[in-house]
Amino acid sequence: MVEWVVCVAAVVVSFEDRPADVVQAAKDRRVVETLLRLKGVKLNTKPQWKAAVRRHLHRIVGQPKYFDLIERFALREETPQLLDLAVAFPARSSAVSALRLLLKFERQAEIRRALKDHPGKAAGLIAALGLAGGRSALEILQPLVVDREQSLAVRSAAARAVGRNLQGQQSLLTLVREQKLPRDLHFTVADVLFGSPIAAVRSEVARYLKMPAAAKGKALPPVAQLAKRRGNAARGERVFNMQGTCAKCHKVRDAGKEVGPDLSEIGSKLSTEALYVSILDPSAGISHNYESYIVVTVEGTVLTGVKVSDSATQITIKTAEAVERPFSKLDLEDVIKQPTSLMPEDLQKNLSLDELVDLVEYLETLKKPPTGIKSAKP
Ligand code: HEC
């Protein structure tokens, strides 16, 4: 909603307070309304109608009506605008609508290029493609799952997106059965397939993969089911500081160490599902600036940690114990970026199912303080 309100507001300021533009906008709207009532309109034979429709479209970019009109009149020339919308905010429903139309217009090549040109947005765009759905989305997504050139974040997002489709679930199951599924996707694919609505898929995947085990070796249910449970936030806070060992690496307000990101507002940033995934499969979505590195010195010291700073002469690494260690670049043999997170993979092993649910309940309470209340007062 907010996205197009902003767009429309911008247009209102720039055009519509000039009388000629107001008149033109009203005319265009009338043309569009009339065309919508006619059957079998071919805009390509009527350039002036088409121009009116396109002017109107550009006044309502991103609104539901915008996508309806593009679809109704099959306006393939809107491709660049649709791509821009998808890339700008992949997590919004406008991105899904835009991608659905791009797939309908067979713009697979353009979508693939956007994924390549915007690596920081790729995982988000892939998730939106999964929601846009259909066979043509699968054609883009399936090869990404097993493409070793792609980061784990991209492959994992692709596996989740493929898993939104029943035919896609079968293709994931085939990878599992034929032992072609890379090890680092086991969690994602197990989570997707154990959550399948089809009993035969769930029972077959159980022959090959397991969900991670909580304390006492009890396998966890899929994330979609975990996310429906309610826990006790006060108990979760104790889990965070004690059994979970989370406070060894994360700050919440003034307590805890800062090896990983500050979690004081994590409940505003991540959905319940994403909170579970970041605990159960930390490497699948490593936060920006928290990639882990191994440094090897000329003298043979080896140290793993996140990079705190990197200048022309010096690099500083922060270890899992929150120790900052500077190195002169002259002393370094190698600096190797790791595909895995510094956050340990099996933290849930020390937690019971209830403790894990309590922990996530607690994380959800960590929200941004509400803003705008003060400024709204005169
Ligand atoms: C050894 C250090 C370490 C421990 C222990 C640890 N984490 Fe992390 N955590 C990290 C690092 C580093 C990152 C950033 C890299 C990544 O996203 O995987 C991270 C990322 C996260 C994120 C994603 C943050 C974001 O902004 O996207 C969440 C949520 C999180 N951790 C929760 C937890 C919880 C809950 C626990 C306890 C069960 C825990 N962590 C234990 C190091 C740790």
Side-chain angles (χ1 to χ4, degrees):
M1 271 306 228
V2 181
E3 67 226 59
W4 61 259
V5 173
V6 173
C7 288
V8 173
V11 173
V12 169
V13 173
S14 62
F15 287 110
E16 304 230 303
D17 48 355
R18 287 180 299 185
D21 293 325
V22 178
V23 174
Q24 180 72 66
K27 262 192 199 159
D28 291 341
R29 201 174 313 122
R30 260 197 316 276
V31 172
V32 171
E33 292 303 331
T34 310
L35 290 174
L36 282 174
R37 282 182 184 81
L38 300 175
K39 277 212 176 90
V41 178
K42 294 241 168 19
L43 278 191
N44 280 336
T45 57
K46 297 280 182 199
Q48 72 279 27
W49 290 357
K50 189 168 195 167
V53 172
R54 294 197 72 191
R55 276 195 305 272
H56 181 68
L57 278 177
H58 293 156
R59 294 190 190 95
I60 60 168
V61 175
Q63 292 183 33
K65 195 83 186 283
Y66 168 79
F67 300 108
D68 290 348
L69 285 175
I70 294 178
E71 183 163 21
R72 168 75 189 267
F73 296 118
L75 290 167
R76 291 180 158 72
E77 49 273 80
E78 290 299 311
T79 295
Q81 177 78 277
L82 289 169
L83 274 171
D84 285 351
L85 269 175
V87 170
F89 299 105
R92 292 186 178 168
S93 41
S94 52
V96 178
S97 303
L99 286 166
R100 197 179 60 75
L101 289 178
L102 288 165
L103 290 169
K104 190 167 180 184
F105 296 159
E106 298 180 340
R107 298 302 197 207
Q108 279 86 332
E110 285 84 348
I111 297 175
R112 286 200 182 90
R113 197 167 324 120
L115 290 175
K116 218 178 255 165
D117 291 347
H118 305 277
K121 300 281 179 88
L125 283 169
I126 286 168
L129 271 173
L131 290 166
R135 201 178 296 260
S136 42
L138 279 184
E139 277 164 24
I140 300 177
L141 295 167
Q142 277 168 333
L144 290 174
V145 176
V146 288
D147 181 351
R148 279 305 195 172
E149 309 252 293
Q150 305 293 337
S151 69
L152 174 56
V154 163
R155 288 182 290 119
S156 176
R160 265 188 204 282
V162 166
R164 289 192 176 272
N165 178 288
L166 294 181
Q167 191 193 327
Q169 292 188 354
Q170 292 296 341
S171 75
L172 294 175
L173 199 52
T174 305
L175 288 177
V176 174
R177 198 185 298 124
E178 295 176 354
Q179 302 189 350
K180 287 186 184 143
L181 186 73
R183 173 69 193 86
D184 55 7
L185 286 179
H186 279 195
F187 171 80
T188 307
V189 171
D191 191 31
V192 167
L193 297 183
F194 278 111
S196 170
I198 298 171
V201 171
R202 295 196 303 271
S203 63
E204 192 177 354
V205 70
R207 288 170 38 199
Y208 305 97
L209 298 177
K210 283 198 195 105
M211 282 299 287
K216 303 202 181 111
K218 278 193 77 179
L220 292 169
V223 167
Q225 286 172 32
L226 284 170
K228 288 191 192 131
R229 298 187 183 228
R230 292 276 61 89
N232 176 312
R235 278 202 306 257
E237 182 170 9
R238 283 196 294 280
V239 173
F240 187 88
N241 294 309
M242 312 288 293
Q243 303 96 302
T245 68
C246 319
K248 279 192 181 168
C249 290
H250 291 286
K251 246 188 167 156
V252 171
R253 300 193 191 97
D254 295 325
K257 288 190 179 165
E258 218 173 348
V259 179
D262 186 321
L263 299 184
S264 304
E265 295 177 354
I266 196 68
S268 306
K269 179 182 168 192
L270 297 183
S271 67
T272 313
E273 281 86 354
L275 285 169
Y276 277 107
V277 172
S278 54
I279 298 170
L280 299 174
D281 193 21
S283 299
I286 300 180
S287 336
H288 184 57
N289 281 339
Y290 288 93
E291 290 90 359
S292 132
Y293 290 83
I294 295 185
V295 293
V296 185
T297 68
V298 182
E299 294 189 331
T301 304
V302 179
L303 209 103
T304 307
V306 291
K307 204 157 53 171
V308 182
S309 65
D310 190 350
S311 73
T313 54
Q314 188 175 299
I315 203 167
T316 302
I317 293 291
K318 194 193 262 183
T319 71
E321 297 78 32
V323 174
E324 286 190 24
R325 169 76 163 85
F327 291 96
S328 158
K329 283 202 168 161
L330 292 175
D331 297 336
L332 289 182
E333 179 78 37
D334 217 344
V335 179
I336 313 156
K337 188 168 163 184
Q338 293 299 98
T340 44
S341 173
L342 195 61
M343 178 159 156
E345 247 192 17
D346 44 12
L347 288 167
Q348 84 289 338
K349 264 197 203 149
N350 305 320
L351 309 178
S352 68
L353 173 57
D354 286 341
E355 284 170 334
L356 178 65
V357 174
D358 290 342
L359 174 61
V360 170
E361 189 78 47
Y362 166 62
L363 295 174
E364 283 189 271
T365 65
L366 303 176
K367 293 242 156 98
K368 264 192 196 138
T371 52
I373 296 170
K374 259 190 192 158
S375 58
K377 284 184 189 157

